[in-house]
Amino acid sequence: MKMFVHRGQITKVVFGSGTRSRIPDEADALGCRRVLVLCTPGQVHQAAEIRDRLGAAAAGTFAEAAPHTPVEVTAKAVTHARTVGADAVLAVGGGSTIGLGKAIASRTGLPQLALPTTYAGSEMTPILGETEGHRKTTRRLPEILLKTVVYDIDLTLTVPAKTSVVSGINAMAHAVEALYAHDRDPVAFLLAGEALDSLTRSLPVIRWSPGDGEARADALYGAWLAATCLGTVGMALHHKVCHVLGGTFGLPHAETHAVVLPHVVAYNAPAAPEAVARIAQALSADDAASGLFDFAGRLGAPRALRDLGMPEAGIEQAAELVMRDCYWNPRPVNPTAARALLTRAWAGEPPGTSPGTEHRRTDPIIEPSTITGARHA
Ligand code: NAD
């Protein structure tokens, strides 16, 4: 066996049905007496229930969490937290709300708890993505790791079926890239494989029966495992492409992951045989990339960037940005490959295995050893 380094998680995880009833005890265990509940405007009802459960230990609700963590919203939330004398923040929601909690923590040092309601996985990572103007930046800050994450299956029952599917594929993307991460270890490989098994099993059930409790439990379990991978090993080309598309063209986060994933897997397949074999096994498919493309299609997930609002003229700019500070990737990336991959994804074509083999002579080839390893969501 090769030498490896494994990073353990410090976050306490509580998982099950009805587990939100434990929130007051979990806050108390952290010594928190004035917990500020965070949510988006769409989740005020779920947040109000949690605030009521906290009773005297609640310092109120801040219900303005927004996609991509705009710094103006964070500034307002920090002022609010100080005004009400909060000694902790509790995010009730998806990646946007959890991102706000991390942004507040990075500025105040307040401890965080979360009740995640999507499969995005931010709750298990030390990564903070923020937007200022139209620019999204990400930082890795070990000090913003959450203290306690309470997964309550019941809170995911209200996520619409289509949103659940794309959010689940977003989680699958974390697992896929963990399988070929430059710093993967045997534990991350096991977690990623198990995450893919859970999500490929449960998402088709949720698509047609969103109220199926067992499938919801399976999906949330898979999302947690995938999130753990995201928090412990580096991500590669897929996350770089999605980061560029979200930050530059404002494309929706989970949907973008769903479109891009089969194309990156097709591109990386020749350099990551063990990973693609495990992905194909989870999908019961002969080929990992076309298996992912078919899986997304069967579940009604978007398959073309143009359907998400990306202009065709943006392909060139996106390819350039993907090459800038490119994350480590198992297969060297060049501008021709990036363009070809984005063109296919834009048009919604099936993934191809060829891009990159026909790079122009003038294109610089970026070898993995010259690229900084990435640890971004
Ligand atoms: P989101 O948090 O924006 O949620 C999507 C929508 O679903 C929101 O309108 C929300 O109110 C709604 N929703 C969530 N749960 C619901 C429920 N139970 N019932 C009904 N509606 C519900 O989207 P997301 O995909 O969870 O997160 C995306 C964001 O998270 C992006 O900004 C992304 O960059 C970030 N992210 C960060 C990391 C990280 O490690 N830093 C990891 C993954 C994602």
Side-chain angles (χ1 to χ4, degrees), residues 40 43 68 94-96 117-118 120 122 125 127 136 155 158-159 253 377:
T40 60
Q43 286 185 274
H68 304 301
S96 299
T117 62
T118 69
S122 179
T125 84
I127 304 158
K136 187 165 180 179
L155 292 183
T158 52
V159 186
H253 180 81

Side-chain angles (χ1 to χ4, degrees), residues 236-245 248-249 260 264 267 310 314-329 333-335 337-339 341-342 366 371:
L237 179 62
H238 171 79
H239 282 74
K240 174 68 185 187
V241 170
C242 293
H243 187 201
V244 163
L245 295 174
T248 311
F249 304 100
V260 171
V264 173
Y267 180 71
M310 178 168 171
I315 293 173
E316 193 59 41
Q317 186 192 0
E320 273 168 33
L321 291 170
V322 165
M323 296 308 300
R324 207 177 288 170
D325 303 325
C326 196
Y327 301 174
W328 179 91
N329 193 57
V333 185
N334 61 63
R339 264 194 304 274
L341 186 153
L342 283 160
I366 303 202
I371 307 169

Side-chain angles (χ1 to χ4, degrees), residues 21-372:
S21 66
R22 291 182 49 141
I23 282 289
D25 289 344
E26 295 302 335
D28 190 54
L30 294 172
C32 303
R33 305 277 177 267
R34 305 256 326 140
V35 180
L36 178 62
V37 179
L38 310 173
C39 65
T40 60
Q43 286 185 274
V44 280
H45 296 301
Q46 282 178 331
E49 190 213 310
I50 305 304
R51 191 195 55 216
D52 292 348
R53 283 179 185 273
L54 280 164
T61 306
F62 183 85
E64 296 177 40
H68 304 301
T69 327
V71 290
E72 317 81 70
V73 175
T74 302
K76 198 171 166 192
V78 167
T79 304
H80 186 78
R82 290 195 172 123
T83 307
V84 299
D87 63 4
V89 289
L90 164 61
V92 181
S96 299
T97 308
I98 294 164
L100 174 62
K102 289 174 169 179
I104 296 171
S106 74
R107 289 155 174 83
T108 61
L110 289 179
Q112 305 162 74
L113 304 90
L115 271 162
T117 62
T118 69
Y119 307 132
S122 179
E123 66 278 1
M124 296 306 293
T125 84
I127 304 158
L128 172 62
E130 298 187 279
T131 319
E132 188 159 15
H134 290 295
R135 210 165 151 255
K136 187 165 180 179
T137 53
T138 58
R139 288 180 289 159
R140 194 177 182 86
L141 304 168
E143 65 274 18
I144 61 161
L145 270 172
L146 277 75
K147 295 280 184 253
T148 306
V149 174
V150 177
Y151 287 103
D152 189 334
I153 297 150
D154 303 357
L155 292 183
T156 64
L157 293 169
T158 52
V159 186
K162 282 192 167 180
T163 311
S164 303
V165 165
V166 288
S167 189
I169 297 177
N170 182 189
M172 286 169 65
H174 310 327
V176 163
E177 294 231 291
L179 289 173
Y180 54 60
H182 66 99
D183 55 353
R184 69 186 179 279
D185 63 72
V187 176
F189 198 90
L190 281 174
L191 296 183
E194 174 83 356
L196 290 175
D197 289 343
S198 295
L199 289 158
T200 53
R201 194 166 51 219
S202 56
L203 294 179
V205 179
I206 291 171
R207 176 64 184 89
W208 312 115
S209 310
D212 187 307
E214 261 182 50
R216 286 293 188 179
D218 210 8
L220 195 59
Y221 171 67
W224 164 52
L225 298 178
T228 303
C229 294
L230 179 67
T232 50
V233 300
M235 296 289 116
L237 179 62
H238 171 79
H239 282 74
K240 174 68 185 187
V241 170
C242 293
H243 187 201
V244 163
L245 295 174
T248 311
F249 304 100
L251 302 191
H253 180 81
E255 287 82 351
T256 305
H257 276 267
V259 173
V260 171
L261 188 61
H263 299 279
V264 173
V265 169
Y267 180 71
N268 281 338
E274 219 188 330
V276 288
R278 187 64 185 87
I279 298 163
Q281 182 194 330
L283 288 158
S284 303
D286 294 333
D287 174 72
S290 53
L292 285 166
F293 187 74
D294 294 344
F295 182 77
R298 274 201 309 279
L299 270 53
R303 292 203 290 193
L305 294 175
R306 68 172 158 198
D307 295 341
L308 304 182
M310 178 168 171
E312 187 172 11
I315 293 173
E316 193 59 41
Q317 186 192 0
E320 273 168 33
L321 291 170
V322 165
M323 296 308 300
R324 207 177 288 170
D325 303 325
C326 196
Y327 301 174
W328 179 91
N329 193 57
R331 187 177 177 194
V333 185
N334 61 63
T336 307
R339 264 194 304 274
L341 186 153
L342 283 160
T343 303
R344 279 179 188 275
W346 180 84
E349 286 171 16
T353 51
S354 59
T357 52
E358 67 288 268
H359 65 267
R360 290 181 201 160
R361 276 179 170 279
T362 50
D363 284 340
I365 298 177
I366 303 202
E367 296 292 344
S369 59
T370 66
I371 307 169
T372 46

